[in-house]
Amino acid sequence: MIRTVFRIAAVGAMLSAATSLAYAKDPMVGGAAMYPSKNIIQNAVNSKDHTTLVAAVKAAGLVDTLEGKGPFTVFAPTNEAFKKLPPGTVETLLKPENKATLTKILTCHVVAGDDMAAAIKKMSMSNGGEYDLKTVGGCTIKAMEKGGKLTLTDEAGGTAHITIADVKQSNGVIHVVDKVLLPKM
């Protein structure tokens, strides 16, 4: 009798856990839910933490690309990450005459493929602790696992940390980062 009660309780607990997993909330980024049924742009425009990134993507003419089929892995810098750049940098980059430079910087945040954090960690661990990610902009980002967290080193030697990983999109995945990744200039 007691075994039967425990079995029923165990089955109930498993069903409850499975149901809660199936109905888990969509991850929140910048105060907005990120829906895996929407593409990178459709989700990014709702994040209050990514208004600078969205403005930059529009100025660079990359909206259609990031709404495309993909898959893309985007390392998405927050507004705070852009504020870490020298004063006036963002404003200068958003000018039409600097579109090529802006495009280069932004495409150095995008990797072709659907690279979840666990896969990036696994690649870095199997490669001596560091893995080179080739971006669509021709940059190389070095991914490293440190203390259970992923860090990215850009070509200029700056280090970004992934603060929110694995935000699934219909055309890829977003990883929120705390620094703008810069190419060699």
Side-chain angles (χ1 to χ4, degrees):
M1 176 75 169
I2 292 177
R3 282 188 178 164
T4 303
V5 170
F6 280 126
R7 284 185 190 140
I8 291 170
V11 169
M14 287 189 305
L15 288 173
S16 175
T19 302
S20 68
L21 287 175
Y23 294 104
K25 285 188 173 187
D26 296 307
M28 299 290 285
V29 175
M34 299 287 115
Y35 299 103
S37 61
K38 293 185 176 184
N39 68 46
I40 291 164
I41 297 298
Q42 290 170 328
N43 275 319
V45 298
N46 294 316
S47 169
K48 67 177 174 49
D49 291 343
H50 291 90
T51 56
T52 305
L53 177 61
V54 170
V57 167
K58 288 178 181 177
L62 295 173
V63 170
D64 289 343
T65 301
L66 292 176
E67 285 181 330
K69 184 179 177 184
F72 303 108
T73 298
V74 176
F75 299 103
T78 61
N79 295 340
E80 290 301 314
F82 280 100
K83 287 180 184 176
K84 292 177 185 177
L85 294 171
T89 301
V90 173
E91 294 78 12
T92 300
L93 287 170
L94 292 176
K95 292 180 180 178
E97 62 268 22
N98 296 315
K99 183 177 178 179
T101 302
L102 178 61
T103 301
K104 176 70 172 176
I105 291 170
L106 292 176
T107 57
C108 285
H109 288 80
V110 181
V111 175
D114 198 358
D115 296 334
M116 301 300 273
I120 297 170
K121 282 181 186 179
K122 184 177 179 181
M123 289 183 280
S124 74
M125 298 305 284
S126 67
N127 196 42
E130 186 175 282
Y131 182 73
D132 288 348
L133 294 164
K134 304 292 183 194
T135 71
V136 298
C139 301
T140 299
I141 300 170
K142 294 193 178 299
M144 293 165 277
E145 190 271 333
K146 290 183 180 181
K149 296 190 178 205
L150 273 175
T151 61
L152 307 170
T153 303
D154 63 24
E155 292 181 340
T159 301
H161 302 90
I162 294 178
T163 58
I164 301 174
D166 300 335
V167 183
K168 191 72 179 127
Q169 315 289 295
S170 66
N171 62 344
V173 63
I174 291 175
H175 302 290
V176 178
V177 295
D178 63 357
K179 183 183 179 302
V180 176
L181 300 167
L182 299 173
K184 276 191 252 183
M185 296 291 214

